[in-house]
Amino acid sequence: MEKLTPARLKALDDDHIRNLSRMEQSNEDVLVHSSDIPGGYTVPPHRHRRTQFLCVFSGVVLVSTNRGRWMIPPGHALLIPRGLEHSVEMASDVSMRSVYIYSPEGRAASEEPAVLEVTDLARQLLAEAVRKGALAEDRGRGELVMALLLDEIGRLPERRLGLPFPASGRLAGLCRDFVATPSPMAKIDDWARHLHMSRRTFTRFFREEMGVSFVTWRQQACLFACLPRLAAGEPVTRVALDAGYESVPAFTTMFKRMLGTSPRAYLTSRKAA
């Protein structure tokens, strides 16, 4: 990855401020933007008056809000509701395309972030929409491309790649440690003991704090940690064993339940894309 010197960081910050200002001042109903950003950079907290469809073409992106954290691997996108403050961290060198939608209709009316799997059609339409001068060359064709892209966004399947995260406290510390070294064998009793709670009290407390059960969060966190490595091309067997799974089939079962496909099929589709 590129070394981020102070001068480079300032240039990236300045570029973000200019683009944000341009988009917020525009009266267009739909805007498109393309960006290639080095790994290690974090776009500072900001918000838009439009709903953002942030699509990752390559690399892995982490989006943080006060409602949780979302990981977007290649071939996926995050729908970010208008007005929601968020920061964007580049976990690797990233190539992104974004659509900003002002009209509060269809999926753009969503009030909750959602990770979507991007179809080949959506990817091609988005690439054409951001192609330099595409709309200027043929306004009628450009409008058709944009209309079809917005329709396709409304049809994209949702994937459970959000990871709820407590804002502070002892539970936040346990969650951070787990994300750093995930294991599907983590036990409720161990976490309860760390927090000096009974199993029943901890189970109720965890669901109240996180909005999901401990088991569901554990599965999501394991996937959260594994996807960047898979996207980088690491062997499935190595990733599965490092994550604490006793076998590749056990890892594959979890992966299919969360993403609807096997790790190898996921890798094949990402390479094809």
Side-chain angles (χ1 to χ4, degrees), residues 57-111:
F57 272 42
S58 65
V60 176
V61 170
L62 301 174
V63 177
S64 299
T65 76
N66 60 4
R67 303 182 195 177
R69 303 180 74 197
W70 284 262
M71 178 183 63
I72 308 96
H76 292 76
L78 181 67
L79 195 70
I80 305 174
R82 69 195 70 225
L84 178 63
E85 186 175 76
H86 58 284
S87 61
V88 185
E89 177 185 349
M90 314 304 150
S92 63
D93 292 343
V94 170
S95 181
M96 299 185 295
R97 309 289 184 270
S98 285
V99 181
Y100 299 88
I101 309 168
Y102 187 76
S103 176
E105 298 178 357
R107 207 159 214 164
S110 173
E111 297 182 356

Side-chain angles (χ1 to χ4, degrees), residues 24-79:
E24 293 303 287
Q25 293 176 17
S26 173
N27 292 320
E28 293 289 333
D29 185 56
V30 181
L31 296 172
V32 293
H33 180 66
S34 174
S35 54
D36 297 294
I37 305 177
Y41 179 68
T42 298
V43 178
H46 64 285
R47 54 171 57 91
H48 308 284
R49 64 189 182 103
R50 295 173 174 83
T51 297
Q52 181 181 4
F53 174 75
L54 188 160
C55 177
V56 179
F57 272 42
S58 65
V60 176
V61 170
L62 301 174
V63 177
S64 299
T65 76
N66 60 4
R67 303 182 195 177
R69 303 180 74 197
W70 284 262
M71 178 183 63
I72 308 96
H76 292 76
L78 181 67
L79 195 70

